[in-house]
Every structure is written in structure tokens, then in C-alpha cells.
Amino acid sequence: MELTQENIDAIAHAPVPATRIIIDGQRCDAASGRVREVVSPLDRSILAHIPDCDEQDVDRAVRAARQAFERRSWQGMPPKQRKRILLRWAELIEAERLRLAVLQTRDQGQPVEHAWALDLGFAIDAYRWYAETADKLYDESVVLEDGLSAIIARMPLGVVAAILPWNAPAMIGAWKLGPALVTGNSVIIKPSEEASLVCLRIAELAQEAGMPPGVVQVVTGDGSVGAALAHHPDVDCVAFTGSGTTGRAILKAAASSNLKRVSLELGGKSANIVMADTQSIADAAAASVAFMFSNQGQVCEAPSRMLVQRAVFDELLDAVKARTAALKIGNPLDIATQLGPIVNEKQRNMICSHIAKAEADGATLEMDGRKAAVPEEGYYLGPTVATDVAEHSALAREEVFGPVLSLFKFDTIDEAVSMANNSCYGLGASIWSSDIDTVMYAARRIVAGNINVNGGTGPVVELPYGGFRESGFGRDRSFHAIEKYADLKNIIIRTRR
């Protein structure tokens, strides 16, 4: 089905099918029989019920994953066959792309066009890209001397737990499952309780594609389920995207259990530097506003700190305000909507508290999202644009994870770099300039894992993604991600001389 308003409307209110977890190839309920409500942020209606899992279910899933790994039903499969299954999986997701996008919108509040193009679109691309690597991962051969050689073999780790966030679960899930699966691991998905429905359906499609039992499984529930996976002595790796608080807890759990491998993609407070010599202030404002307020600002790399050279500050601020005012806020199932609801009431209240605190500290609210005209039902919030924000204030330093943009003035590129690095995070940054010397000077000095220049590009699978400092470590995407789900083994062979 194509992305049209007519097609969206035809499925927008369809009942959500019965949702069950997947363990050892079977759809099943939580061992306790408990369920939890899925509340739609669009109108606070109960959309569905999902199993409320606990340690019993985690044990069942880990045991099935280990058994699948040891019987080599996936890792022992010919690479070309694994490739065919992964490609078939991508085809099945593509066939249901619109239904999945609408389901994601109803579950999490993401505007449907965004869910279609980014969350599902990039997920499908990632599965296809990693599928194509399945039969191209080779061992290395080393000749040490006559009659003595060695094989350096890439070995899968075993059981991988992928603990996913709620803001883009399909795409970020694909960034973890793709490389983990091509190396031969078994994977247990733990989606956020705020966005589980799409993950459950995608895992069902994996079974339909021919994935052996126990290789791709899903357990749902709150943070205690993720904690159980992080502490489990038979989980070999945890790949996590989410908050710094939870990331620290996972590290402690890994250390206190079996020293499992951990990769963390955590928060961000990305700086967006606009130089006076940028080719087009209008283009910089348009791209920055679109990036900042996509998915209601609930994006790890959102450019929430806009650093503007003093000579063009007023011009840039006017352009940003005009672009922001033009954003359409409302029902995310409307294909034209650009800002839907915040994921839940708690998150909305937290964002509003950041705005209130900034105002109390002297910030000027050029636009106040709390006063925007929004639907009465649901967890809607308009975009906020703030100036006169103290560089050391909470709004300048803490991740808001919502539609709040702060603008700051600077004079020199060294000052801008210093301001950009004045953060505990190091995930992303942007630079707008026509001077390649300025661009490269700043790009080399800004502490961030992903730097977009004059607009850059979206989250393409070809490039590694992750950050420095408290943004975590390890990389999703690209060939580099494959290495964190594998380890190297030497097989040293002495033959007759």
C-alpha cells in the first residue's frame, strides 16, 4: 500500500491484533498471565494489551536462544541461506510498511509520514544492507612460516539482548539485529513499553521469513525486563539505546554478572553552528527546524543548541521563528502533520518543567510551546524557541528530548567550538559555512561522533553511528557494527614441512 491519506484512513482505526511475545518460535503469553495497557498518546485511549513479562519469561527466552545457538540452526546455516532469509524478512516488512507505520503512529505518536519514511524506511534498508553482507564475511589466513599457518576466525558471541528505545524502535532495532544476525548470534528483543507493537509484528514476520526458532525473540514489559536481561549470566552481549541512567545500570549489571559485552547509545545535546558566511541563512533555518522538531524533538541527535555567529543572529532567529510557526501540529495520522503528540504524559510534563525552569532563570521564550494551539486530547505540545539562555543552565546542558530549541550567540569559531564542547555528551553536531577551512577546523575539534556539514544526510546504514563521552560507546550501522557482535579466534595449524 502506498503512503496516501486515503490508504491511511482506511486502516487508521482498525483493531490491533492480539499481541503476544515470541519465545522459541511460538507466540505466547507471559508466564504470569499478566498484561499491561498500551495507551495511545493521540487520545489517551487503550490501544491494546501486551504481555507484562518478568524474570521467568526472560529465562525462557534466554534458554531458547542458547539452545538455538548451540544446535547451530542459524550460525551453522550456509551464509547464502541466511542472506535469503534476511532479504525475505525485509520484503515482508516492506509489504506491510504502511500498516506498520500507522501502528507505530498510534502507539508512539510519531507523524505517519515520518514513521513511513524514517522508522520503517531506514529499517528495511538496514535489513537489506546487512543481508547482503552475510555471504561476504570471510576469515583471514596468515602464513607464519613454512609448515605453520593460522586462521583468524570471526566467531559470534552467542546470545544478544537488544534493548530498544521508544522513539524509533523499528529503525534502531534493525541497526542492532542486522549485524548481530549476520554474524550468527541469537537475539532477544526487549522493546520499550511505550512502543512495543511494531517490534512484536516485525518479529512475527521474521518467523514467516524462515528464521529458526529461538533466533529472534521478543519479551515485553517495563525496565525490570531489561534489567533481568542485563543481569542474566547466559546473555553474552547487551546492545542498548536509551537514557544514561539506564546505561549506567546495564554496565553495573554486566560487571556483576558475567562481564558480558555492552554497547551503549545514550543521550545527546547536539550543537548546530551557523557561521555568518553560510551560503543561505534560509536553508540553514529550514533544515535545522525540520531536524530539530522531527518526531516532536524526541531524537537523540536533535540539534537543540543552535550557536549563531553574532552578525547573522537576528536574521537567523527570524527565519527559525517563521519556519517553526509554519509547522503543522495535530493528529499524526494526517499525512501533512509535522508535530504529533509527546509519547506520554510524564514526558510531556518533564519537557514543560524544563521550559518553566528556563523562563524562571531569565530565558526569553520567543515561542512558547505550552501556549500553542493543540488538540485537547492526547499529550500534545507545541515547539518552543528560546534565547538569552545561560550557557551553564539546565536547558543548555541537559537533554530535554522534546520540541525545545535554544539559540546562543558567538563571535569566533574557537568560541563556537568551546561552546559546542561544553557538554557531557558527544553524539552529534552540525556546521553551516561556505569556508572548507572553517568546517574542517571545527569538525576535527568538536567532540561528537556524527557531524553534518551544510545539511549532511539522514541516518544512512553505510555510516557508523554513536558518540563520545556520556553519549556512550560502540557503533551502530555500517561494517563497524558487525565487530561488536563477534570475537576473533586464532586457529593455529602446523603441517609437515
Side-chain angles (χ1 to χ4, degrees):
M1 297 175 69
E2 295 182 359
L3 181 68
T4 66
Q5 193 62 56
E6 182 180 6
N7 287 339
I8 292 167
D9 293 342
I11 60 177
H13 304 289
V16 175
T19 52
R20 306 174 80 187
I21 58 176
I22 296 177
I23 295 179
D24 203 16
Q26 301 297 315
R27 300 174 67 218
C28 54
D29 298 317
S32 66
R34 292 193 306 269
V35 297
R36 59 189 302 124
E37 293 177 344
V38 176
V39 178
S40 175
L42 279 66
D43 55 11
R44 311 187 192 200
S45 63
I46 297 174
L47 186 60
H49 292 84
I50 58 174
D52 192 15
C53 297
D54 57 25
E55 290 186 12
Q56 296 179 77
D57 305 296
V58 169
D59 283 339
R60 292 161 58 201
V62 173
R63 186 164 53 251
R66 179 61 61 191
Q67 290 171 352
F69 184 74
E70 291 184 349
R71 65 175 173 258
R72 301 181 63 81
S73 58
W74 179 249
Q75 68 160 318
M77 186 182 289
K80 288 187 183 298
Q81 188 174 346
R82 293 207 304 266
K83 173 181 173 177
R84 284 193 291 269
I85 290 174
L86 290 169
L87 287 173
R88 175 60 178 157
W89 191 15
E91 290 171 4
L92 293 174
I93 298 170
E94 179 73 77
E96 289 195 20
R97 184 175 176 180
L98 183 60
R99 291 186 182 278
L100 290 167
V102 169
L103 184 62
Q104 173 69 354
T105 296
R106 296 171 72 190
D107 188 10
Q108 186 262 346
Q110 199 174 133
V112 68
E113 193 278 335
H114 187 275
W116 161 277
L118 190 137
D119 200 23
L120 273 303
F122 280 103
I124 293 164
D125 185 54
Y127 284 123
R128 286 176 172 155
W129 195 88
Y130 280 110
E132 292 294 347
T133 72
D135 57 354
K136 301 171 184 68
L137 300 176
Y138 308 126
D139 293 342
E140 300 173 43
S141 177
V142 180
V143 176
L144 300 171
E145 59 183 68
D146 280 351
L148 184 63
S149 60
I151 297 169
I152 303 173
R154 181 189 292 106
M155 307 300 296
L157 298 178
V159 177
V160 173
I163 303 178
L164 307 181
W166 45 259
N167 61 328
M171 178 181 71
I172 294 174
W175 293 350
K176 300 184 191 306
L177 269 77
L181 289 170
V182 296
T183 47
N185 296 285
S186 299
V187 184
I188 301 168
I189 306 167
K190 194 285 171 185
S192 167
E193 60 269 36
E194 302 294 346
S196 294
L197 300 181
V198 163
C199 294
L200 287 165
R201 181 56 187 153
I202 287 176
E204 290 175 357
L205 294 175
Q207 312 304 306
E208 294 179 25
M211 200 71 68
V215 175
V216 173
Q217 304 178 97
V218 188
V219 287
T220 54
D222 62 17
S224 65
V225 178
L229 286 164
H231 281 94
H232 203 289
D234 210 22
V235 170
D236 301 294
C237 173
V238 173
F240 172 72
T241 295
S243 73
T245 300
T246 302
R248 285 175 167 82
I250 289 172
L251 279 176
K252 291 178 181 177
S256 65
S257 57
N258 60 339
L259 289 175
K260 57 177 61 66
R261 184 174 296 188
V262 173
S263 69
L264 303 174
E265 195 272 278
L266 307 175
K269 192 69 178 175
S270 299
N272 184 9
I273 298 172
V274 182
M275 301 296 296
D277 66 4
T278 189
Q279 188 171 10
S280 171
I281 292 294
D283 288 349
S288 300
V289 167
F291 188 2
M292 174 61 232
F293 296 114
S294 65
N295 202 14
Q296 296 73 258
Q298 299 168 135
V299 177
C300 302
E301 201 188 344
S304 57
R305 294 185 295 152
M306 200 165 197
L307 315 182
V308 187
Q309 200 159 25
R310 194 177 301 274
V312 294
F313 184 88
D314 291 341
E315 180 185 357
L316 193 283
L317 175 59
D318 288 343
V320 164
K321 288 165 64 177
R323 282 282 180 176
T324 304
L327 295 173
K328 181 176 180 179
I329 309 168
N331 183 355
L333 290 169
D334 182 338
I335 200 171
T337 292
Q338 294 162 292
L339 267 79
I342 302 301
V343 69
N344 58 35
E345 186 174 20
K346 179 181 177 181
Q347 182 73 8
R348 185 187 184 280
N349 291 342
M350 185 275 292
I351 297 167
C352 288
S353 71
H354 273 286
I355 298 170
K357 180 66 165 57
E359 187 176 29
D361 289 342
T364 299
L365 300 184
E366 307 283 347
M367 300 180 69
D368 189 343
R370 299 169 299 178
K371 299 177 181 178
V374 298
E376 293 183 4
E377 296 182 327
Y379 307 122
Y380 293 87
L381 180 67
T384 291
V385 176
T387 57
D388 303 316
V389 177
E391 189 180 343
H392 297 284
S393 69
L395 191 61
R397 298 179 61 82
E398 296 179 15
E399 184 179 41
V400 176
F401 218 66
V404 182
L405 171 63
S406 301
L407 286 86
F408 305 82
K409 297 175 184 177
F410 70 88
D411 292 304
T412 68
I413 188 60
D414 285 310
E415 183 183 0
V417 169
S418 177
M419 293 169 69
N421 289 338
N422 185 23
S423 169
C424 66
Y425 298 109
L427 186 57
S430 300
I431 306 170
W432 295 83
S433 174
S434 297
D435 186 339
I436 190 63
D437 290 337
T438 298
V439 166
M440 295 307 299
Y441 179 88
R444 290 288 185 181
R445 287 161 176 77
I446 293 172
V447 182
N450 195 63
I451 298 180
N452 284 298
V453 177
N454 296 330
T457 186
V460 294
V461 68
E462 294 89 346
L463 301 178
Y465 183 70
F468 301 100
R469 294 178 173 171
E470 293 184 29
S471 288
F473 51 84
R475 294 294 183 264
D476 286 332
R477 307 189 328 217
S478 82
F479 278 108
H480 295 282
I482 291 173
E483 300 307 323
K484 71 183 182 185
Y485 300 109
D487 234 332
L488 300 179
K489 174 187 290 187
N490 295 325
I491 304 173
I492 303 165
I493 306 166
R494 186 174 293 279
T495 59
R496 292 181 181 177
R497 297 199 170 110

